[in-house]
Amino acid sequence: MGEGFCRLNLDTLFFSVVLGAIFVWFFKRAADKATSGVPGLVQNFAELLIEFVDGQVKDTFHGKSQLIAPLALTIFVWVFLMNFMDLLPVDLLPTVLSLFGVSHFRSVPTADPNTTFGMSIAVFILIIYYNLKIKGVKGLSKEMLVSPFGPYLFPINIIFRLLEEFVRPISLSLRLFGNLFAGELIFILVALLPWWLQWTFGGVWAVFHILIIAIQAFIFMMLTIVYLSMAHETHGQEETH
């Protein structure tokens, strides 16, 4: 809908919102039914995810923030759910929706660069926010001028720092998009094979792809934690480390 910069990919927005709502509903249900006694299956699974993410945050993030753990959990589960859409038959939803006059439909939000760039830009904004909040304008300016080559090479230091900061969201988004887009293409190629080969190759790739979608969600989460942890560290702390 729309043209140019103002164009909205409704298929991407629809599934991103629906899968995000499923994530919120699941954890709210787990919280509402939580008990100090014998936990149910939903509570067990929710606690397992929370403990896993919390452990990664404690091992990687060295600052103090109540936002990082919930953010990491949201990123991991939400990205995994969006990636998981790639395991649906590649022509299922487009075929069904074509009956209602929808000519093009993408069911995997993370195979759309708008999704991955949107998420990485949100992380980038948080990096800038915490850099300014923790270090202040003076501390951040000093860090950009003297690191990594000392104060006499401050023009090179500034260029390196700007490149480093802008490369982070680009690499974060392109890594996730590239893997999921490639996976989607492979499923399309499998769908073009004779039916008696589709089950063999498709089954093997689906099993392998389950690992990929989980790993990509984990990598996106971990890089977010690492980048925000670096934003909380001052130049003096880095030298001490």
Side-chain angles (χ1 to χ4, degrees):
M1 184 177 69
E3 295 293 337
F5 182 77
C6 295
R7 188 180 68 177
L8 298 176
N9 295 342
L10 299 180
D11 46 5
T12 297
L13 287 172
F14 173 77
F15 273 109
S16 298
V17 172
V18 168
L19 294 172
I22 291 173
F23 159 68
V24 172
W25 170 82
F26 176 82
F27 277 90
K28 184 179 185 305
R29 183 168 179 267
D32 291 341
K33 293 183 175 294
T35 175
S36 58
V38 179
L41 182 62
V42 172
Q43 183 178 341
N44 266 328
F45 185 67
E47 288 180 352
L48 179 67
L49 282 174
I50 292 171
E51 289 175 3
F52 168 72
V53 172
D54 193 51
Q56 301 301 320
V57 172
K58 288 180 178 178
D59 292 340
T60 308
F61 183 75
H62 305 298
K64 293 181 179 180
S65 174
Q66 295 181 344
L67 172 69
I68 305 304
L71 175 67
L73 178 67
T74 302
I75 287 176
F76 178 71
V77 179
W78 196 20
V79 171
F80 178 82
L81 289 174
M82 289 191 284
N83 293 350
F84 192 81
M85 294 297 295
D86 210 11
L87 296 180
L88 292 177
V90 70
D91 57 347
L92 176 61
L93 291 175
T95 301
V96 172
L97 290 171
S98 66
L99 301 175
F100 299 93
V102 179
S103 59
H104 174 78
F105 192 84
R106 183 188 296 276
S107 58
V108 185
T110 42
D112 182 350
N114 293 284
T115 302
T116 57
F117 269 101
M119 297 181 72
S120 66
I121 289 171
V123 173
F124 179 61
I125 292 172
L126 285 174
I127 292 172
I128 296 174
Y129 169 75
Y130 278 112
N131 266 307
L132 291 172
K133 180 181 178 181
I134 301 300
K135 304 167 187 177
V137 175
K138 182 179 179 180
L140 181 60
S141 301
K142 180 180 178 182
E143 186 177 272
M144 293 179 67
L145 290 172
V146 304
S147 179
F149 301 117
Y152 298 108
L153 295 176
F154 70 90
I156 299 177
N157 292 335
I158 294 174
I159 293 172
F160 268 65
R161 180 59 181 259
L162 292 176
L163 286 174
E164 180 185 8
E165 293 296 339
F166 283 107
V167 162
R168 286 175 180 175
I170 294 173
S171 63
L172 195 62
S173 60
L174 289 182
R175 181 184 293 105
L176 179 58
F177 162 70
N179 280 277
L180 270 296
F181 184 72
E184 192 176 42
L185 288 180
I186 291 176
F187 276 122
I188 292 173
L189 293 175
V190 169
L192 297 176
L193 294 173
W195 67 268
W196 48 275
L197 285 175
Q198 288 182 12
W199 290 100
T200 302
F201 288 103
V204 172
W205 176 246
V207 173
F208 179 67
H209 201 58
I210 291 173
L211 297 175
I212 293 177
I213 64 177
I215 290 171
Q216 289 305 313
F218 177 77
I219 290 174
F220 201 102
M221 176 193 74
M222 287 303 300
L223 287 176
T224 299
I225 298 172
V226 169
Y227 291 157
L228 292 177
S229 179
M230 293 172 66
H232 278 72
E233 293 179 347
T234 63
H235 182 59
Q237 286 176 319
E238 292 172 355
E239 289 178 346
T240 303
H241 292 164

